[in-house]
Amino acid sequence: MLHHVPDIAADRVLLVGLGKAAEFSAKAFLDALRAGVTALQKSSCKDAALYLTDLAVKDRDDAWKIRQSVLCAAESVYRCDQLKSKPAEAPVLRKLLLGCADKPSATAQQALDQTQAVANGMALTKTLGNLPGNICTPGYLAAKALALGKAHKSIKTTVLEEKDMQKLGMGSLLSVTRGSEQPAKLITLEYHGAGKKQKPVVLVGKGITFDTGGISLKPGAEMDEMKYDMCGAASVLGTMQAIAEMGLKLNVVGVIPTCENMPSGRATKPGDIVTSMSGQTIEILNTDAEGRLILCDALTYSKKFDPDTVIDIATLTGACVIALGHVASGLFSNDDSLAQELLAAGEQAHDRAWQLPLWDDYQPLLDSNFADMQNIGGRAGGTITAACFLARFTKDYRWAHLDIAGTAWKSGKEKGATGRPVPLLAQYLINRAKN
Ligand code: BES
Ligand code: MN
Ligand code: ZN
């Protein structure tokens, strides 16, 4: 940080090393951006002008640099301190100007406006994820969804209760909530941004507000992190808020099955057989493979919206963390063009996914001696067999599945929700609204 540089209007100038010009890639840009914004936050600057956006980055346009700068700045001012008796120190930085040599294009301006909505959506997703299971219950998520419907004329929220789900035949979803004292909810948010005739994109988010594993109880270490098992649901709420703020011209429905997975004398037991809304029967060999059990009924329910495309988002398998680590979300689809569109949106938003196979060769691993299928496929290929389970309920429409077990939150010293994959989903919807 240089002070009082002669002939420069700014009081202070922060120099950021960029490495070799020839090696200045997207990653190098993001590293420099993060380092710069972090240093600004540590100084007592109230406002700053950022000129990193004026650098040429290989294969990236101005809009990309603007989007990344907004997301980085938003990340640096995010706090989750509502449960501390004294709030954490508020960030001092209030205003960030993005410098560019030429007059910004209309697309660059639009990227700026849209990314602010995406950042707000991510903040909602993070806060819901970070809230503990004793506060963020299924009822709490339903109340938040209703509040979104109140705040935005374009969103209509409805909440189904357990008796409604019973009538619909959702035996699989209801089997997961049996051990819990908290009532399960099925939330739908309908966003109308286009004509009635346009078929909607349906986003289905896993909303397990705490996953103990049920009778197949999880080990104690780090079990607190299973409060994050509703991050799929939170990403649907964050994305719905973002598209409503942007006023995107398309129709989108959010569907959120939400409950707790708890052990009790009433809880579902290994070996129990239930009938899903689709009519297919399921032998529950492991009550900890509960995400797919709530999603399958929500996916069947989604047909009622006559969808163009259905995308589910779920912290579904620990195996996905083993396969892809914390960098990429797992992506599956029964439609290759949809997979390509989602991969491209992830690349654009720097919220990347990686496609895994959904081949029928894996399906026999789910065969059961007593029911139409079992809910686990063994240790090998655990992420794939989970997706193959869902595929049995999504044959009637174009569908993709995002396994965000490794990307939705960070552990350790930096523990906290990331807000992913809101940037990917929002970018995909922005791209769709354009075409
Ligand atoms: N919510 C978990 C998946 C999970 C585990 C996400 C750890 C992130 C970190 C899911 O409900 C689960 O328990 N899955 C089991 C499936 C198994 C029993 C087939 C798993 O991954 O161990
Ligand atoms: Mn589980
Ligand atoms: Zn779970």
Side-chain angles (χ1 to χ4, degrees), residues 213 216-217 269-271 283-290 293 375-376:
S216 313
L217 193 64
K269 305 168 291 299
E283 184 185 16
I284 301 175
L285 288 181
N286 189 321
T287 64
D288 197 11
E290 84 297 339
L293 296 174
N375 76 328
I376 51 169

Side-chain angles (χ1 to χ4, degrees), residues 86-99:
K86 287 193 206 86
E89 248 172 72
V92 192
L93 188 65
R94 303 298 306 164
K95 188 171 169 186
L96 193 64
L97 293 162
L98 303 182

Side-chain angles (χ1 to χ4, degrees), residues 160-235:
L160 297 190
E161 305 295 331
E162 286 181 8
K163 59 178 191 314
D164 306 312
M165 295 185 245
Q166 198 87 54
K167 277 188 209 133
L168 288 164
M170 296 185 165
S172 184
L173 192 164
L174 290 168
S175 76
V176 177
T177 195
R178 277 188 63 84
S180 170
E181 300 288 325
Q182 295 287 338
K185 310 275 175 188
L186 182 66
I187 307 165
T188 60
L189 305 105
E190 293 170 72
Y191 170 78
H192 284 284
K196 280 216 161 67
K197 280 203 203 115
Q198 192 195 81
K199 291 183 172 193
V201 176
V202 179
L203 304 177
V204 180
K206 172 178 173 182
I208 296 291
T209 58
F210 197 84
D211 181 12
T212 66
I215 296 298
S216 313
L217 193 64
K218 284 184 182 295
E222 284 150 36
M223 206 210 273
D224 66 288
E225 294 191 8
M226 283 299 115
K227 72 175 183 179
Y228 289 115
D229 213 16
M230 36 54 73
C231 281
S235 75

